Amino acid sequence: ELGGHLGAVKTCAFSPDGGLLASAGEDGRVCVWKSRTGELSRVLAEQKGPVHCCAFSQDGSLLAAGGDNGRVRVWDPHTGSLLRAIDAQEGGAVVACVFSADGAMLFSAGNDDRIRIWNPSSGALLRVLEGHQNFVTAGAFAPSGKLLASIGTQGRVLVWDLPSGVLLRDLTDESNGERLGAFSIDGALFASAGDDGGVRIWDVRAGLLMRELPSGLLSAHKCAYSPDGTLLASVDGDSQCVRLWNPLSGALIHELNGAPLSSLAFAFSPDGEHIAVVGGEGRAAIWDARSGVRLRNLQGRRARLRTCAFSPDGALLASAGVEGIVQLWNSKSGASVGEIKGPSRLVESCVFSPDGRLLVTAGDDGCVYVWDPSSGVLRSRLKSSGTWVASCAFSPDGSVLASTGE
């Protein structure tokens, strides 16, 4: 937990290598943290008025931030040196900033209908783009740096040719209230998401809506990709049914009929070939994710299950829920191979470390517990400042553990 601000935090961003975390907020501070240790490295600014946005360049050598004073400041985040202060928004606030992939351009937008593109090194204004009819709230560069997508407060999405400054496409559907967007690696596709909970994928050159995720996903309370990205699983918030989708075509591939009553959670095996589903009355099942065939049922205690996770080698499945007991299963045979009983009355999240040597659980007592899954021995107890931990995750190398909650 990082406590360097004196008010609400409005924005944060990791450096591309994950080593630094920048945060900014209502106190006018821009703080840079060492993400692995939580140490406050430096405070870059203490200005009057909130800071609304911050962004690292792709090589991590620059950090930009903007706020109520209408300025975008650019620092070297490693030394704390202020490299440039740009008066980007006369008489108004800067609400969005983002670097191009090569770091040669900096997008800024605020409480008017104009987009400004700057040279972050010199502070020179390279281009002003006009086409929105209201405030501009977000922007995204294509990886090539030749295209820019901008999003306005009325959900208007515009795509620009940056070398010429020409507006190429208007991808607007104001009924969806678009707020976020990102280009594909080749810049051919643009995905946007809005207030309706939907995600739309556009052909940028043609300006055509290629696909929209089906309405059945809009009420989903959990979704996740398979490890190879070829499947998307969702738990429907209304029917609590698990569905498998083709994320490229949006086609429904399988609906796991007969899944555990009131399905609440699922997990893909590391190879993506299997999916475990857990739910009410302590029921769990393992399915063939490709064929949609149920392979085995797992029946442990009768308590409602809320979370599950495969070990990195796929040999074990952990499930847990209302009683605070973690049950370990042999994923191949479906046999129970052990139980871990912790102090929590309810476990909301369980996850294995990347090397499989640790199992982490978290829940309703505000603590994160680290176990040895082979022996059931508690290795450590981490206390958060909140009363409830809803989720936890390891970094890919297993050196950092993050948790979120209330």
Side-chain angles (χ1 to χ4, degrees), residues 70-271:
R71 284 189 166 187
V72 176
R73 298 185 183 187
V74 181
W75 293 273
D76 181 327
H78 302 284
T79 65
S81 299
L82 178 64
L83 303 178
R84 188 67 55 188
I86 302 171
D87 291 320
Q89 202 74 26
E90 185 177 352
V94 177
V95 300
C97 61
V98 65
F99 286 94
S100 61
D102 61 3
M105 293 180 285
L106 176 65
F107 161 99
S108 74
N111 55 355
D112 63 12
D113 58 2
R114 295 181 177 182
I115 299 159
R116 295 168 177 86
I117 308 297
W118 309 89
N119 181 320
S121 298
S122 67
L125 180 62
L126 302 177
R127 194 169 293 283
V128 177
L129 305 174
E130 299 184 54
H132 283 276
Q133 298 171 348
N134 213 316
F135 297 168
V136 181
T137 58
F141 286 96
S144 67
K146 295 181 179 180
L147 298 177
L148 173 78
S150 57
I151 301 175
T153 53
Q154 294 180 332
R156 196 174 189 194
V157 181
L158 304 180
V159 179
W160 308 83
D161 178 83
L162 284 176
S164 66
V166 171
L167 175 61
L168 293 178
R169 297 294 176 199
D170 186 337
L171 308 180
T172 300
D173 184 343
E174 295 186 3
S175 64
N176 295 323
E178 306 301 76
R179 291 181 177 271
L180 303 170
F183 280 95
S184 60
I185 295 297
D186 61 4
L189 303 177
F190 184 75
S192 63
D195 289 340
D196 65 346
V199 177
R200 283 152 286 279
I201 301 176
W202 305 83
D203 182 313
V204 174
R205 293 295 178 185
L208 299 175
L209 178 62
M210 294 181 62
R211 60 188 60 92
E212 186 170 359
L213 291 183
S215 58
L217 276 178
L218 300 184
S219 59
H221 65 245
K222 179 180 180 181
C223 61
Y225 281 97
S226 60
D228 63 3
T230 59
L231 293 174
L232 177 68
S234 70
V235 176
D236 191 293
D238 297 324
S239 66
Q240 296 184 317
C241 173
V242 177
R243 295 184 173 94
L244 298 177
W245 310 82
N246 181 321
L248 296 179
S249 68
L252 176 63
I253 298 175
H254 298 299
E255 187 169 297
L256 303 185
N257 296 314
L261 182 65
S262 299
S263 300
L264 292 173
F266 61 82
F268 280 102
S269 60
D271 60 8

Side-chain angles (χ1 to χ4, degrees), residues 267-271 274-276 286 296 298 308-319 326-340 350-353 355-359 371-376:
F268 280 102
S269 60
D271 60 8
H274 302 112
I275 182 170
I286 297 177
R296 57 193 62 91
L298 312 175
C308 63
F310 280 96
S311 60
D313 62 3
L316 292 179
L317 175 71
S319 63
V326 180
Q327 187 128 20
L328 299 174
W329 309 87
N330 182 311
S331 64
K332 304 296 183 185
S333 67
S336 176
V337 295
E339 289 185 350
I340 298 174
C350 65
V351 60
F352 285 91
S353 61
D355 61 6
R357 295 181 179 179
L358 301 175
L359 175 66
W371 309 87
D372 181 335
S374 61
S375 65

